[in-house]
Amino acid sequence: MAGFAAVATTGAAAAPALAASPMKRPRGAGTTLVLLGTAGGPTLYGDRAGVSSAVVVGDAFYLVDLGHGALGRVAQAQLSTSTAPSARPLTGLAGVFLTHVHSDHLAEYASLVINGMWNGVNDPSRPVPVYGPGDRGGLPPVLGDRPEPPVIAPDAPTAGTVAMTARIIEGFAADLNERLRGSGGVDPGAAFAPHDIALPAGAAGPVDHAPMPRISPIPVHEDSRVRVTATLVEHSPVFPSFAFRFDTDEGSITFSGDTAPSENLIELAQGTDVLVHEVIDRQWAEARFPEPRTPAAEATLRHLIESHTTIEDVGGVATAAGAGTLVLNHLAPGDNADSRWRQAGKGFAGRLVVGHDLDEIAVGSKR
Ligand SMILES: [Zn+2]
Ligand SMILES: [Zn+2]
């Protein structure tokens, strides 16, 4: 929760704010990172929604991932600055960026597409762009000695952003047709403009083994407020998995997405003001799979650790990137004590923020 620093303050002689406490800035001024959800994985926690963040630039905002509970946090955070009578919580949404096709990053994307028209995304003349992975191009291998499982949706088992969006809309056709006829809503297929991010030649998938192809940052989106670039990160067997960097007039914010320590990410994030990086507690992961382990359990544990970044490693990534502030999010598990996560600071001399839902972090000094 955003107020943990205040909880640590006791007595009349209030302690100074923790160095890691996020700063607040009025809406409509400069560039601000807002953490909407900070839990890693599909497990539900009371205090942390699924992973999701907002980059607020002036009167517009951009969403990065939409885990479970993210849209409730959008409303709580009051990201929209519009004072128009018709304004809704999503008025001002200027772009959506999806790092990869894991449900803990996507579950509420379906809700955004279906409910967006009632909450401010309702202008087919200016559809909200959505950028995310393309089709994987083939199923990943079965881990360990498990039997071959059934294939879900064999006609499109690895759909990317464009196809997934179309299928979400199709799946809700009964609702959408009723509402469009009864209430005059807007076709979400016209209110959103999904894009599959194109990969550079030689980096197309499927890629079933780390490391990812080494690539330079690729341009994704540019408008009057932001320039967004991306790179491939180490989240095998999910492919492609992206990190995103936002550059604005005030500074930069880089999102790791889900990844093991990644050379591509370190290049993308060079000199970034704020690095928002995922983190996993290796001790927790090992305890989930107690010994003796079956070959399947051993393979799953190895996958879990090798496709994420441990507390011991994340500070070194931020140091290599030259980041000013390291914000830990996608915390796995979502119910560790902050003191455990702060051990990530051992490898990093900059400012460390253990992310909590609804934290706000101002970027840069210009207004
Ligand atoms: Zn995840
Ligand atoms: Zn993932």
Side-chain angles (χ1 to χ4, degrees):
M1 305 301 286
F4 77 92
V7 172
T9 300
T10 55
L18 294 175
S21 295
M23 294 181 290
K24 292 267 184 180
R25 168 180 285 184
R27 287 278 181 275
T31 299
T32 305
L33 165 69
V34 181
L35 302 181
L36 298 169
T38 53
T43 303
L44 302 176
Y45 298 95
D47 291 345
R48 296 185 187 277
V51 69
S52 181
S53 304
V55 176
V56 184
V57 188
D59 60 359
F61 63 94
Y62 305 80
L63 296 176
V64 179
D65 284 337
L66 282 143
H68 51 77
L71 289 183
R73 294 288 195 238
V74 168
Q76 282 181 285
Q78 298 182 309
L79 299 180
S80 179
T81 59
S82 175
T83 56
S86 60
R88 298 288 181 270
L90 292 168
T91 302
L93 176 62
V96 178
F97 298 82
L98 305 174
T99 58
H100 64 294
V101 294
H102 263 159
S103 61
D104 54 319
H105 300 249
L106 283 181
E108 205 131 334
Y109 175 61
S111 180
L112 175 73
V113 171
I114 299 308
N115 293 314
M117 73 176 91
W118 312 107
N119 292 285
V121 184
N122 49 16
D123 185 354
S125 72
R126 292 193 310 157
V128 172
V130 178
Y131 300 94
D135 195 303
R136 188 180 197 282
L139 287 165
V142 178
L143 278 184
D145 59 352
R146 292 178 171 82
E148 186 78 23
V151 175
I152 308 299
D155 61 326
T158 54
T161 302
V162 171
M164 175 181 65
T165 305
R167 284 179 172 243
I168 289 169
I169 294 170
E170 286 175 12
F172 281 82
D175 166 86
L176 292 168
N177 284 321
E178 187 279 317
R179 290 186 193 272
L180 264 60
R181 287 161 185 260
S183 307
V186 175
D187 175 3
F192 290 92
H195 303 269
D196 292 345
I197 296 172
L199 295 173
V207 175
D208 289 331
H209 302 286
M212 283 297 114
R214 193 73 176 82
I215 65 168
S216 294
I218 48 181
V220 173
H221 173 84
E222 186 161 3
D223 60 28
S224 61
R225 303 179 189 86
V226 296
R227 182 165 55 87
V228 183
T229 47
T231 198
L232 285 172
V233 290
E234 304 285 346
H235 196 44
S236 177
V238 181
F239 182 87
S241 290
F242 293 111
F244 293 113
R245 174 176 176 141
F246 288 69
D247 283 277
T248 75
D249 286 347
E250 288 81 23
S252 61
I253 306 170
T254 304
F255 296 90
S256 71
D258 281 11
T259 182
S262 161
E263 290 294 327
N264 283 346
L265 171 68
I266 289 169
E267 179 180 344
L268 179 77
Q270 274 305 306
T272 193
D273 294 292
V274 179
L275 174 61
V276 185
H277 205 294
E278 69 120 271
V279 64
I280 189 171
D281 184 340
R282 185 187 189 109
Q283 291 176 12
W284 163 80
E286 289 175 346
R288 283 183 67 196
F289 299 92
E291 298 196 66
R293 298 183 184 109
T294 64
E298 184 67 40
T300 300
L301 171 61
R302 198 167 59 245
H303 156 70
L304 194 59
I305 293 174
E306 291 178 355
S307 61
H308 294 283
T309 300
T310 63
I311 293 171
E312 292 76 17
D313 286 342
V314 68
V317 173
T319 299
T325 294
L326 169 60
V327 177
L328 301 181
N329 86 336
H330 194 277
L331 303 164
D335 55 0
N336 259 359
D338 274 14
S339 57
R340 176 75 178 127
W341 297 121
R342 284 199 197 99
Q343 292 175 16
K346 286 177 183 163
F348 180 59
R351 181 171 69 135
L352 175 71
V353 175
V354 178
H356 291 257
D357 291 19
L358 300 176
D359 277 355
E360 301 193 11
I361 293 142
V363 177
S365 55
K366 286 185 265 177
R367 296 292 173 105

